[in-house]
Amino acid sequence: MSGLGGSAPASGLGGDAPASGPAGSAPTTGGVGGIPVSGPDGDALASGLRGSVQTAGGNGSAPVSGPGGSVPASGPDHSPATDRADGGSPSPGAAGLSVPPAGTGRSELRGSGWGRRRDPFFRDYRDGMRALLARRPEHAAGPLRRVLGRVRHDDPPERLLRAASAALLLGDVHAARAAGARALAVSRNAECVASEARALEYLAYGELRAGRHAQARAHAEEGVRAALLAGHRNTAASHHALLALAASIEGDTAAVAGYASAALATARRHGLAQAATLAEWATARADLARGRPLDAADRLGPLVGPGPRRGHFAVWMLAVPCFVEAAVLAGQPEDARGPVGDLARWADFGADPHASAQLARCRALLAADDREADDLYLRALALHDGSGGDFERARTELLYGRWLRRRRRLREARGRLGAALVAFERCGAGAWADQTRGELRANGAASGKEPAAGLARLTPQQLRIARHVAEGATNREVAQRLAVSTRTVDYHLRNVFAALGVRSRVELARMVDQEHR
């Protein structure tokens, strides 16, 4: 997400992690950035962390002593007993990549927890995750690659989903999607709807990581149905959070609100840090798409900053590029410098192929020197070429085009904005495409081109103000959302009325509504 990616690209699946802050339990601290871990049958990384792991009995969870502090370790069910009939949704593993839960559903999909301790597959998986908990990623790559080498075509879903975890951690999205697809086929063959719901979750994350948002949405919609049929409300919450993320790319504000509310209803009740953070991130991204950077920055600030309200590790890291963009556009660049340092460490880790390009884009947004900013934007675009994904590249093109336009480099701006518009349209990012069209209109007007009719006559700032006013916001509320003075809003609104030939806020609301139909 930004790829994504937790219950997101390159991050954990499921989200059955204790939430931090008022909505949940203790802060997710310790381990690898505070990542809850669980292993086969809830035995904490296949019972491989002897002497440093305490597991809870029943459905509870107990702290795991990790090198950096305590990490919640989910029990066999990964959730309260009221969550579902048999087993839970996948629990996030080290670095936010999923560590699937115990086998659930039909007995033929389960295996012996005792036998796993001697199985080279599970031993390598355990060793890779232990290395990550010890903050030694260089020692994790070898065991996790061996996990991928040991997986077989006819393996049960439990092994296939662990292989998908290893692949995501190694940045191999293709292998992760392949393992998830095979797990789905095996689950359907065995008529195990619970495993089917979890496999669909992996597939949805893989598609989001690859920038295929429509396919991710389709998997998540199917996953919600399967999870609810199996009585797995936690897994359903994770799928709802995924749907909110997809809708935030498409710009469907109402859909984002609906899916996010559904995810949060369960996440807050059961302490699911990942699903809760994803839902908040999706809502903030929708705010940013609709030209509300201050709202987005306010929502994301606590999630990406230090303190007890910080979101799940992998998810808050994936949300950092959104926060940096929102903070800069809201006139609060200093708030973004700390999270950019965190993003740099995440990019060095190598689990997210989009992180390096996003890091260069964030640094460009914060650069004080024009030459440095120019170089950083170009570097970000070159890195996007290697990582793929239309949406993230289009966001960089949009920000670069806006930056060029404001420096009167109009021809270059036109090229960047045109490329962004094509990419946004190709991946169905409607609100982002609208934002880009506004920048193109402003660029055309500054070049002396003929102004278009209706709302096309407005500058991007005027258009943002017009939309807020049409939604019923007062001038003071608009000023707060856009981080400008009330006097600035008054000035732009008078120009909006003059440009559109309207005389009241009611007429303006009617015009905005008609043009959006």
Side-chain angles (χ1 to χ4, degrees), residues 399-477:
L399 290 168
Y400 189 24
R402 178 183 293 155
W403 183 87
L404 289 166
R405 182 180 69 79
R406 291 178 177 176
R407 281 150 186 79
R408 309 298 296 174
R409 294 165 60 178
L410 303 180
R411 180 172 296 181
E412 293 173 84
R414 176 67 183 81
R416 296 299 177 187
L417 293 170
L421 179 59
V422 169
F424 282 138
E425 290 178 336
R426 184 162 53 232
C427 63
W432 300 90
D434 287 345
Q435 195 177 131
T436 307
R437 291 188 190 97
E439 290 292 338
L440 281 166
R441 286 193 293 270
N443 192 72
S447 302
K449 296 182 180 179
E450 286 296 318
L455 297 181
R457 299 176 183 177
L458 306 181
T459 68
Q461 183 75 323
Q462 289 172 347
L463 185 59
R464 284 191 283 269
I465 290 172
R467 283 176 172 160
H468 288 311
V469 169
E471 291 171 358
T474 65
N475 287 12
R476 183 180 296 275
E477 290 169 340

Side-chain angles (χ1 to χ4, degrees), residues 56 72 122 137 139 146 166 171 229 242 302 335 360-361 415 436 458 484:
F122 288 107
H139 294 286
R146 289 196 294 274
L229 182 62
L242 275 169
D335 292 347
R361 180 175 78 204
T436 307
L458 306 181
V484 298

